[in-house]
Amino acid sequence: MSIAEAKERLRGSIAPIVTPFLENDEVDYKTLEQLIHWHIESGSHGISVTGTTGEPSSLTLQEREKVMETAIQAAKGRVPVVPGTGSTNHAETLHLTKLAQEMGADAAMVIVPYYNRPSQHALYKHFKTIADAVDIPIIVYNIPGRTAVNLEVKTLSRLKEDCPNIIGVKESNKDFEHVNRVLLACGRDFLLFSGIELLCYPMLAIGGAGYISATANVAPEKVAEVYNAWIAGDVKRAQDLHYELMPLNDVLFKDTNPAPLKAALGMMGKIYPKLRLPMDLPSPELQQEIRAVLEGYGLLSKAGSGER
């Protein structure tokens, strides 16, 4: 996908898919394929794997590669696929980003390195080196709550100017003033995606391209409809959906993502509810609350109301 095509196609609800595991802790690639088909049929505008919701730090390098390959092959070009290729290791990030390009991914999402807490100068060098090594469009992923460092607007703007294939950013940043200044500094054609559920709709209002929302895992149709309504000019419908989804958003983040999400998907019969340690499922009390919320949304059918 060219840069121009990417800027046209990479919009709306890009669903960050969980990585399903079998009971024996192995990656369940068959279920991953089924989830991708379900998302496309449900109207998700794109697919992302091995981002935060996909537990990349719990996967081996080989597993990350196979998850990426599985997603690209399952999508068959029906929607864009944007794998997360970043890690705290520069060489590994470079390898995975190059591989995403070779596999035919439509773009790569590269997270700000976590744990290391690099300086802004080091972040610039990290992202520029990766961007210069590939032709694939890159979406920078800024999530200071997980990485312990914020990619500053000046740094991002400099990267956008110096690297033509850095075309956007996923901002999992609760500082709404910050995200406004991203578009002011980087230009309105820069693709701004929300990674904060309660900012998905507000981000569209300031000129955002869409969102990469974990909630899409359990309610892909409604999450995609927020964008569809906004683009169609039905502001009231978009607002109504924004508030309708709030209780679901809230319960899915009462524990660290994707623990509540995987519990919910297990209750829906979509996956075996399993995380790899050191992550684990939420407490029984929270699971009861999740079940009650899912029932309220009509997401538990008789056939899919039990864990697999």
Side-chain angles (χ1 to χ4, degrees):
M1 183 187 292
S2 70
I3 301 300
E5 289 173 326
K7 287 187 174 183
E8 288 296 321
R9 291 192 66 203
L10 291 173
R11 294 180 178 274
S13 175
I14 299 177
I17 309 295
V18 299
T19 301
F21 297 121
L22 298 166
E23 191 172 3
N24 65 3
D25 244 16
E26 293 182 2
V27 177
D28 186 352
Y29 296 102
K30 181 178 179 181
T31 294
L32 177 61
E33 290 180 3
Q34 293 171 350
L35 289 174
I36 290 169
H37 294 317
W38 176 54
H39 271 275
I40 295 172
E41 292 163 4
S42 299
S44 292
H45 304 102
I47 298 296
S48 181
V49 291
T50 59
T52 302
T53 305
E55 296 173 79
S57 60
S58 296
L59 303 176
T60 67
L61 183 60
Q62 292 72 29
E63 286 171 335
R64 288 189 69 171
E65 293 171 359
K66 190 169 181 181
V67 167
M68 287 164 50
E69 182 180 33
T70 300
I72 292 165
Q73 291 180 352
K76 297 186 188 303
R78 291 175 289 171
V79 297
V81 177
V82 185
T85 59
S87 80
T88 194
N89 182 290
H90 177 78
E92 185 174 286
T93 301
L94 194 56
H95 165 76
L96 287 169
T97 308
K98 287 180 177 179
L99 191 62
Q101 177 171 291
E102 293 170 11
M103 287 179 174
D106 297 284
M109 185 170 65
V110 184
I111 194 170
V112 169
Y114 39 90
Y115 182 76
N116 292 332
R117 298 186 69 187
S119 67
Q120 295 299 307
H121 175 67
L123 285 173
Y124 173 84
K125 290 178 67 176
H126 171 72
F127 282 109
K128 187 174 190 306
T129 300
I130 292 162
D132 287 348
V134 295
D135 297 320
I136 191 172
I138 290 174
I139 296 171
V140 175
Y141 181 12
N142 188 30
I143 179 168
R146 292 263 192 164
T147 62
V149 63
N150 184 44
L151 184 67
E152 295 177 2
V153 173
K154 286 183 179 179
T155 308
L156 184 59
S157 177
R158 185 181 171 201
L159 283 166
K160 185 257 184 181
E161 289 301 317
D162 295 347
C163 308
N165 57 332
I166 293 182
I167 64 168
V169 62
K170 175 185 176 182
E171 282 284 356
S172 291
N173 197 325
K174 292 185 178 180
D175 183 348
F176 200 55
E177 180 178 340
H178 170 94
V179 297
N180 276 267
R181 295 192 182 282
V182 165
L183 284 186
L184 180 65
C186 295
R188 301 277 289 281
D189 63 334
F190 196 64
L191 302 183
L192 174 64
F193 297 92
S194 177
I196 299 292
E197 275 58 32
L198 294 191
L199 295 183
C200 289
Y201 169 70
M203 207 81 92
L204 296 177
I206 65 169
Y211 37 82
I212 304 173
S213 166
T215 304
N217 277 272
V218 297
E221 189 171 351
K222 282 195 180 295
V223 172
E225 193 182 348
V226 175
Y227 179 80
N228 294 339
W230 173 259
I231 290 300
D234 192 346
V235 175
K236 184 178 184 305
R237 177 60 178 160
Q239 290 175 339
D240 288 346
L241 286 164
H242 169 71
Y243 289 105
E244 181 183 334
L245 285 166
M246 280 181 65
L248 183 59
N249 290 329
D250 288 345
V251 80
L252 291 177
F253 285 86
K254 286 196 171 183
D255 195 353
T256 304
N257 181 48
L261 195 55
K262 281 196 156 181
L265 286 167
M267 295 171 196
M268 294 169 64
K270 294 294 184 182
I271 66 170
Y272 181 81
K274 176 79 173 180
L275 294 92
R276 283 180 175 169
L277 294 171
M279 299 288 286
D280 200 4
L281 290 170
S283 68
E285 293 78 14
L286 180 52
Q287 290 195 50
Q288 289 179 0
E289 187 176 349
I290 292 167
R291 180 179 292 278
V293 172
L294 294 178
E295 287 175 346
Y297 281 87
L299 292 172
L300 298 183
S301 65
K302 290 182 180 179
S305 60
E307 290 89 358
R308 285 177 40 172

PDB file of all heavy atoms in Angstrom, residues 108 124 198:
ATOM      1  N   ALA A 108       2.643  -0.624   9.682  1.00  0.00           N
ATOM      2  CA  ALA A 108       3.155  -1.187  10.929  1.00  0.00           C
ATOM      3  C   ALA A 108       2.912  -0.187  12.047  1.00  0.00           C
ATOM      4  O   ALA A 108       3.072   1.020  11.851  1.00  0.00           O
ATOM      5  CB  ALA A 108       4.642  -1.502  10.820  1.00  0.00           C
ATOM      6  N   TYR A 124      13.623   9.861  18.915  1.00  0.00           N
ATOM      7  CA  TYR A 124      13.712  10.321  17.522  1.00  0.00           C
ATOM      8  C   TYR A 124      14.619   9.393  16.710  1.00  0.00           C
ATOM      9  O   TYR A 124      14.258   8.951  15.615  1.00  0.00           O
ATOM     10  CB  TYR A 124      14.240  11.753  17.471  1.00  0.00           C
ATOM     11  CG  TYR A 124      14.526  12.230  16.060  1.00  0.00           C
ATOM     12  CD1 TYR A 124      13.510  12.742  15.260  1.00  0.00           C
ATOM     13  CD2 TYR A 124      15.805  12.123  15.521  1.00  0.00           C
ATOM     14  CE1 TYR A 124      13.760  13.150  13.953  1.00  0.00           C
ATOM     15  CE2 TYR A 124      16.066  12.527  14.221  1.00  0.00           C
ATOM     16  CZ  TYR A 124      15.042  13.034  13.440  1.00  0.00           C
ATOM     17  OH  TYR A 124      15.306  13.425  12.149  1.00  0.00           O
ATOM     18  N   LEU A 198     -12.831   6.324  25.829  1.00  0.00           N
ATOM     19  CA  LEU A 198     -13.732   7.460  26.017  1.00  0.00           C
ATOM     20  C   LEU A 198     -13.347   8.665  25.164  1.00  0.00           C
ATOM     21  O   LEU A 198     -14.061   9.668  25.150  1.00  0.00           O
ATOM     22  CB  LEU A 198     -13.793   7.860  27.496  1.00  0.00           C
ATOM     23  CG  LEU A 198     -14.419   6.834  28.433  1.00  0.00           C
ATOM     24  CD1 LEU A 198     -14.653   7.452  29.805  1.00  0.00           C
ATOM     25  CD2 LEU A 198     -15.724   6.286  27.884  1.00  0.00           C
TER      26      LEU A 198
END
